[in-house]
Amino acid sequence: MKHRRICAAVLMTLGAAAAQAQHVLIAKQLAGAPEEFKAMQPANPADAAIRSKSALVPIEMMLGGDGQYHWQANLAVDAANVRVMLLKSPQDAWQLRLGSAESKRDSKDADLSRAETLAAVHTETSFGMQAAQVPGELFAFEDLKPGKVTFDLNSALRPSKGFLLLEGDAKTLLVSYQTASNQRVDGSVTITAKMQTNSDSGSIDSEKLRGAAISAAVLNITAPSGRQSQVAFFDDGVHADGSAGDGVFAASFVPAEVGDYVAQARVEGKSGDVDVVRTAEHLIPVISDQVALGSAAVQLSDSKTAGRVSIRVPVSSNNPGQHYRAYAQLWGADANKNPIAIAWVGGMVTPKNGVAELELDTRWIARAGAGAPFSLRQLRLEDPDHFVTVVQADELAITDKIAPVSLMKSVQIDEAMTMGLRPAPLDGEFTNRGVGSQLLLVHGYCSGNVWNVPNFTGASIFQDLSQNRSNDAFALRIAAFGNTWNSYGIVAHSQGGMASLHLYNYYWSGLDNAVGGRLIQSVGTPYKGTNLAGVLAALGGIFGVGCGSNTDLTYTGAANWLAGISTASRAKVNYHTTSFKLTNWWTNDYCNFASDLVLGDPEDGTTEQANGQLSGGVNRGHVTGQCHTDGMRDPAQTRDAGRNATMNANAAR
């Protein structure tokens, strides 16, 4: 029996003890019906757009003639009720004053008023996700007159750099997205931007501007090395921006470094007669050329395993042992030699000896009633941590050496067809030799221990605390921990839900042996991403931001990740969402005062309800009055004893 193995060294933590282990996983050989082609296609970039109601403005004070440090900016305020946050080091004592746009820096100017005396609320708080937090001061103002406002900062001591985060009217949004996810060194990355009002409807491409328009726009770029640059946005019809003058702007740059770029779109314009300023922070992973399509033909041949065929795609790789996410459509011909779709095929593959090999159950060919000539369409190989395309081809001819497959009038699609053959428990290097069953409690990104153990029975807590992992790396760690048991179900929080689904979709593990209930249950998981991921990445260059940037948690990264998750795998997830309990705009309309400035309501302080949805999963409902973690305004969603008891009772093990 032949299987693909993915190797990764992982650290298993069992309670307080830690031990190094080499865990070898067997990748599933994924396939699905042609009806799923659309669901498995690359994500539409516009569907993963950032819709920003705020502006993140960098602060760098300069020494003035009075011996103090100063910074001043005239910024558009477009709402009467507005919140402003100063993101800064705790040791910095800054004084914020507000005034009309005509105000001067002179400290005696009566037009400048101290922010804390004007604010309805002034509080110390922090911005971030889990343990990745940036401290600062937050001000909530009421009944401001919309227009240009002078924000004046001064400090008696030499301050650190920081940011001002300015909230705008949520009815006017900057819509910005990356046009494709194939960014590599010396390639081209394009960001689009447009203003939109909440009354707009339809797709982004067809939306018509209603009283909101951009007058000036720039793209501020920070490379992995910290090098900064700026490029202009265009609306001239020749810069990948659509038609000239249509209100859709685009800006492009060519990355020269491997790593995570932060590209901030900053736009100024008007919504009706009111000036507006908005920013959108894009976290963009850039990789090197690791693998290329070979010149030899794709081969379709009988596998060494009866009832299966091998699809051998020629590739050349300069990164031996690296695995990639693969996807392709297999096509054949009907009795009249007309093209006919057979199935999609994919999974994690490790190129070896110049070949990336996929396998398929011959019943897919029989089900379609297909024969030669065969072809491979929509081929793509992607790196497994960011899902950036490294190889793609629209169509490749196939040289086939398979025995003819007879038409089967009725084929019952089963696990062997969609996931491949189950490995034997002791097959070769397959290391799932554990015994018994268990429920695994899994945390999320940069997290502490979030689960209340007394609510669960027969459960063990996975602990990879205060860490930053891609969904793939996270999944491998869960598998290593779960290797103690023969079977397990999972209850997960936040990114842990994404990682658990990733594990089930791509690798054989104890999840596949679990019986008796709901396989994966999650709470507060941002299946479609969170805007916090991009904003935190922008802050990271100055503050370091704890665990670092995570591209899988951005809107774009999550959308690209989901593009490879099968319909059958999604159906194994039961998910819950929560949000704050709404009373009024500034005292109760938030879980975390600061993160609410960049998230759309309703949200739990990290995950917006709309982006906590998993298409194809089982939605177990939304609860108000619960937030993402401890330390937010409402109780943490993981502390709900009733829901925990229900998840415990319904969990597969």
Side-chain angles (χ1 to χ4, degrees):
M1 185 180 296
K2 181 169 67 176
H3 299 288
R4 295 191 304 274
R5 291 179 172 81
I6 307 298
C7 302
V10 300
L11 185 67
M12 281 197 306
T13 303
L14 300 173
Q20 188 86 18
Q22 182 74 16
H23 183 62
V24 181
L25 288 178
I26 295 177
K28 293 179 176 178
Q29 298 157 353
L30 303 179
E35 292 80 9
E36 297 177 4
F37 281 0
K38 183 177 180 181
M40 299 298 289
Q41 287 303 290
N44 178 4
D47 292 340
I50 297 171
R51 287 172 162 80
S52 173
K53 62 179 181 180
S54 59
L56 184 67
V57 183
I59 294 170
E60 185 170 5
M61 295 191 194
M62 305 296 292
L63 182 62
D66 59 358
Q68 296 210 7
Y69 293 86
H70 298 272
W71 175 87
Q72 192 176 89
N74 292 328
L75 301 175
V77 171
D78 59 298
N81 297 335
V82 64
R83 290 171 290 188
V84 175
M85 185 171 184
L86 297 179
L87 298 154
K88 61 186 183 64
S89 298
Q91 65 269 22
D92 286 335
W94 294 359
Q95 184 182 94
L96 174 64
R97 299 183 299 171
L98 274 65
S100 68
E102 293 75 29
S103 298
K104 306 298 182 182
R105 179 174 292 164
D106 184 354
S107 61
K108 296 180 181 179
D109 191 332
D111 291 334
L112 288 172
S113 300
R114 291 173 65 96
E116 57 265 35
T117 63
L118 296 176
V121 174
H122 174 217
T123 184
E124 299 285 337
T125 185
S126 64
F127 177 95
M129 288 190 293
Q130 309 282 86
Q133 298 287 331
V134 174
E137 289 181 78
L138 194 142
F139 304 84
F141 301 101
E142 290 185 299
D143 300 325
L144 288 182
K145 181 180 179 181
K148 288 290 184 72
V149 172
T150 295
F151 291 84
D152 181 275
L153 280 171
N154 67 74
S155 174
L157 302 176
R158 182 178 181 87
S160 305
K161 295 180 180 180
F163 290 89
L164 184 146
L165 181 58
L166 171 65
E167 181 183 34
D169 189 336
K171 294 180 181 179
T172 303
L173 303 175
L174 164 61
V175 179
S176 183
Y177 60 91
Q178 183 184 335
T179 59
S181 295
N182 59 352
Q183 60 273 8
R184 296 195 293 278
V185 170
D186 298 328
S188 181
V189 175
T190 300
I191 302 293
T192 65
K194 63 165 283 186
M195 296 295 289
Q196 172 192 325
T197 64
N198 275 347
S199 60
D200 287 347
S201 61
S203 69
I204 290 176
D205 291 337
S206 65
E207 285 169 348
K208 296 185 182 300
L209 298 174
R210 299 182 181 180
I214 294 172
S215 58
V218 295
L219 187 68
N220 298 307
I221 304 155
T222 303
S225 63
R227 181 177 56 87
Q228 296 185 330
S229 59
Q230 187 179 90
V231 295
F233 276 92
F234 295 92
D235 183 19
D236 55 8
V238 296
H239 286 85
D241 59 295
S243 302
D246 63 356
V248 178
F249 288 69
S252 301
F253 69 98
V254 177
E257 304 174 23
V258 171
D260 292 344
Y261 278 73
V262 176
Q264 184 196 56
R266 174 170 172 162
V267 306
E268 297 180 13
K270 284 186 176 293
S271 179
D273 297 328
V274 179
D275 291 321
V276 296
V277 58
R278 299 285 189 271
T279 66
E281 290 70 35
H282 298 270
L283 176 59
I284 303 172
V286 173
I287 66 174
S288 61
D289 286 325
Q290 303 170 350
V291 63
L293 190 64
S295 58
V298 177
Q299 292 185 349
L300 180 66
S301 60
D302 290 317
S303 171
K304 295 178 181 178
T305 304
R308 302 187 68 80
V309 293
S310 172
I311 303 171
R312 297 169 58 84
V313 180
V315 296
S316 59
S317 174
N318 58 11
N319 195 1
Q322 174 63 46
H323 64 284
Y324 300 90
R325 183 171 77 171
Y327 171 87
Q329 299 171 6
L330 180 63
W331 287 67
D334 63 16
N336 297 317
K337 299 300 180 182
N338 296 315
I340 185 171
I342 297 172
W344 65 263
V345 59
M348 295 294 180
V349 300
T350 304
K352 185 178 180 181
N353 298 326
V355 170
E357 185 176 5
L358 299 165
E359 282 199 6
L360 186 73
D361 194 301
T362 56
R363 286 176 291 174
W364 287 112
I365 301 174
R367 180 178 182 268
F374 296 98
S375 65
L376 211 59
R377 300 187 184 182
Q378 303 302 311
L379 169 70
R380 67 182 194 266
L381 294 183
E382 302 163 338
D383 87 294
D385 292 313
H386 311 292
F387 309 104
V388 174
T389 302
V390 293
V391 166
Q392 59 184 346
D394 291 335
E395 186 170 7
L396 297 169
I398 290 179
T399 301
D400 73 280
K401 299 178 181 179
I402 65 170
V405 178
S406 300
L407 170 67
M408 296 176 65
K409 293 183 179 180
S410 178
V411 174
Q412 184 68 37
I413 298 176
D414 58 20
E415 179 186 87
M417 292 179 67
T418 59
M419 293 185 173
L421 298 176
R422 280 178 175 250
L426 301 181
D427 175 50
E429 295 179 276
F430 185 52
T431 60
N432 186 14
R433 303 175 184 177
V435 295
S437 60
Q438 197 76 347
L439 177 62
L440 304 190
L441 306 178
V442 179
H443 57 71
Y445 160 84
C446 199
S447 178
N449 182 17
V450 298
W451 291 109
N452 189 3
V453 179
N455 297 148
F456 299 94
T457 58
S460 293
I461 300 176
F462 168 82
Q463 293 189 45
D464 185 33
L465 305 181
S466 301
Q467 298 298 320
N468 175 19
R469 314 284 184 199
S470 70
N471 287 339
D472 192 64
F474 202 153
L476 296 179
R477 298 226 165 198
I478 296 172
F481 178 79
N483 195 45
T484 299
W485 301 277
N486 175 66
S487 66
Y488 52 83
I490 291 178
V491 168
H493 179 242
S494 199
Q495 191 196 358
M498 301 169 77
S500 300
L501 173 54
H502 186 98
L503 173 60
Y504 178 75
N505 189 74
Y506 291 111
Y507 304 109
W508 293 104
S509 73
L511 277 171
D512 297 284
N513 298 331
V515 295
R518 301 171 186 172
L519 187 64
I520 299 171
Q521 301 175 83
S522 69
V523 180
T525 296
Y527 288 107
K528 296 182 180 180
T530 173
N531 196 29
L532 294 184
V535 179
L536 274 174
L539 300 177
I542 292 179
F543 298 106
V545 189
C547 298
S549 59
N550 188 307
T551 59
D552 283 349
L553 293 176
T554 66
Y555 294 141
T556 297
N560 293 335
W561 166 72
L562 276 173
I565 304 297
S566 71
T567 301
S569 294
R570 296 182 189 212
K572 296 293 185 179
V573 176
N574 292 259
Y575 65 93
H576 303 259
T577 57
T578 75
S579 66
F580 55 79
K581 186 174 182 179
L582 177 62
T583 301
N584 59 58
W585 82 275
W586 56 263
T587 60
N588 283 341
D589 183 12
Y590 67 91
C591 267
N592 177 276
F593 217 152
S595 63
D596 192 54
L597 274 66
V598 300
L599 296 176
D601 294 338
E603 39 85 7
D604 67 8
T606 297
T607 303
E608 295 153 318
Q609 181 181 2
N611 291 311
Q613 306 302 304
L614 176 64
S615 176
V618 181
N619 186 341
R620 292 294 173 181
H622 182 81
V623 174
T624 60
Q626 294 179 3
C627 295
H628 199 75
T629 58
D630 290 323
M632 294 186 176
R633 196 204 67 193
D634 295 335
Q637 55 198 199
T638 55
R639 304 294 183 181
D640 186 325
R643 181 169 56 236
N644 289 350
T646 299
M647 290 193 294
N648 180 65
N650 287 283
R653 286 177 171 82

